[in-house]
């Protein structure tokens, strides 16, 4: 890995990504010794709710022989007394060997990383980035399709506020994937992300209707409408439920088309999809463990040198 901190998929090179995915595949085949990182402590600082990211990072460090230090709910942290994020991370740096940060403000992880020397991993910063979700997304695609070359990927739902989408789009561009973005116009890609993608030579098209592309897709990546990021609840209600798939939707999809979702889902994927050969979202969530083990192993090994 050429990075001390993991803040954005934009700054991960294709080689960095392949290094993590290859290490994750090794870990999947042959789990490492349980004492490989016996002295390492991973701080988990979550200022926003999480089930998967929090628990899979905790599982990952424990399976590597280390331990997790959890800041606990934000309500019982000193943030409620007015402590700044910069001060919190400077303090936590003295307790742990690496730090995982989730925060509601876009740019928070980048800012916090400027105050610490231990590796800081962005576990989601508002509507910004979620780079480790992207690593496990790519791992899941590679396992399903056999390769990340020549993929056609549809990304549907909340493209404006969905940080997993922004990270994934940057990473897929590095693999020259064909990307079809499907959303209502009001939730299309942020202008800054679209600009970056065009500047990087992304092969992208934008649509308001999944029917226009479903037959072409190797992967359909569905996302939740991010209710918590809508300034206006009425706007959310107007859109919610419009971009939903069920087993009937997938009758037009290729047999090998893989349906993914970073989860949690609300009702974007009907339960009848779960029993189809397309459903890969629970496997995707489980892949978080080997992928985050791989990332920690690489970052902590580098840190030990
Ligand atoms: N996919 C994801 O980030 O899930 P959590 O919010 O549960 O961590």
């Amino acid at each position: 890995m050429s990075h001390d901190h993991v803040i954005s998929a934009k700054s991960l090179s294709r080689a960095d990504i392949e290094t993590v995915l290859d290490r994750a595949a090794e870990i999947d085949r042959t789990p490492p010794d349980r004492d490989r990182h016996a002295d390492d402590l991973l701080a988990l600082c979550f200022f926003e709710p999480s089930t998967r990211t929090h628990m899979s990072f905790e599982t990952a460090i424990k399976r590597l022989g280390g331990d997790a230090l959890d800041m606990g709910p934000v309500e019982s942290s000193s943030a409620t007394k007015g402590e700044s994020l910069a001060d919190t991370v400077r303090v936590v740096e003295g307790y742990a060997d690496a730090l995982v940060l989730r925060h509601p403000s876009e740019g928070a992880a980048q800012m916090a990383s400027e105050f610490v020397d231990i590796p800081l991993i962005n576990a989601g910063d508002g509507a910004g980035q979620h780079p480790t979700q992207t690593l496990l997304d790519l791992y899941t695609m590679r396992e399903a399709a056999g390769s990340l070359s020549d993929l056609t990927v549809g990304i549907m739902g909340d493209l404006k506020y969905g940080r997993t989408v922004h990270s994934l789009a940057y990473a897929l561009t590095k693999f020259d994937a064909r990307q079809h973005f499907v959303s209502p116009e009001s939730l299309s890609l942020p202008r800054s992300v679209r600009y970056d993608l065009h500047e990087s030579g992304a092969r992208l098209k934008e649509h308001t209707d999944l029917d226009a592309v479903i037959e072409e897709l190797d992967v359909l990546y569905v996302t939740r409408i991010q209710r918590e990021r809508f300034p206006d609840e009425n706007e959310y209600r107007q859109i919610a439920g419009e971009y939903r798939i069920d087993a009937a939707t997938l009758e037009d999809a290729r047999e090998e088309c893989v349906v993914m979702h970073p989860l949690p889902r609300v009702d974007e994927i009907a339960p009848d999809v779960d029993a189809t050969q397309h459903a890969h979202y629970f496997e995707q969530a489980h892949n978080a463990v080997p992928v985050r083990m791989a990332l920690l192993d690489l970052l902590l090994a580098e840190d030990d040198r």
Side-chain angles (χ1 to χ4, degrees), residues 57-119:
F57 265 116
E58 183 167 353
T59 306
I61 190 66
K62 288 183 172 170
R63 293 228 172 121
L64 289 168
D67 211 344
L69 290 176
D70 187 4
M71 185 184 83
V74 66
E75 300 76 33
S76 56
S77 78
S78 285
T80 58
K81 300 176 203 161
E83 184 172 53
S84 68
L85 178 60
D87 280 1
T88 301
V89 297
R90 273 189 285 203
V91 170
V92 171
E93 180 180 30
Y95 306 152
D97 301 287
L99 193 163
V100 179
L101 175 69
R102 172 169 288 186
H103 198 278
S105 301
E106 195 168 333
Q110 176 60 47
M111 184 280 288
S113 72
E114 288 161 18
F115 289 90
V116 295
D117 289 327
I118 60 171

Side-chain angles (χ1 to χ4, degrees), residues 2 6 72 89 113 118 130 174 196 206 208 216 241 261 274 287:
S2 60
V6 180
V89 297
S113 72
I118 60 171
H130 194 351
K174 295 170 204 278
D196 285 344
E206 296 183 76
T208 52
E216 299 173 35
H261 190 306
D274 297 359
N287 285 337

Side-chain angles (χ1 to χ4, degrees), residues 49-53 102 130 133 262-264:
S50 168
T51 298
R52 276 148 292 276
T53 312
R102 172 169 288 186
H130 194 351
Q133 176 70 43
L263 304 179

Side-chain angles (χ1 to χ4, degrees), residues 9 52-53 102 123-138 141 155-156 158-172 179 181 189 193 221-224 226 229 260-264 284 292:
R52 276 148 292 276
T53 312
R102 172 169 288 186
D125 59 327
Q129 288 277 305
H130 194 351
T132 67
Q133 176 70 43
T134 291
L135 291 170
L136 70 95
D137 294 343
L138 294 178
M141 288 180 200
I155 305 182
M156 183 175 90
D158 185 347
L159 312 181
K160 180 178 180 183
Y161 297 115
R163 58 195 173 202
T164 64
V165 171
H166 307 157
S167 289
L168 182 60
Y170 286 139
L172 284 172
Q179 301 183 68
F181 294 98
L189 287 171
V193 174
Y221 191 95
V222 183
T223 64
R224 177 176 67 90
Q226 307 268 310
R229 308 213 192 279
M260 294 173 59
H261 190 306
L263 304 179
Q284 178 187 358
R292 289 185 168 128

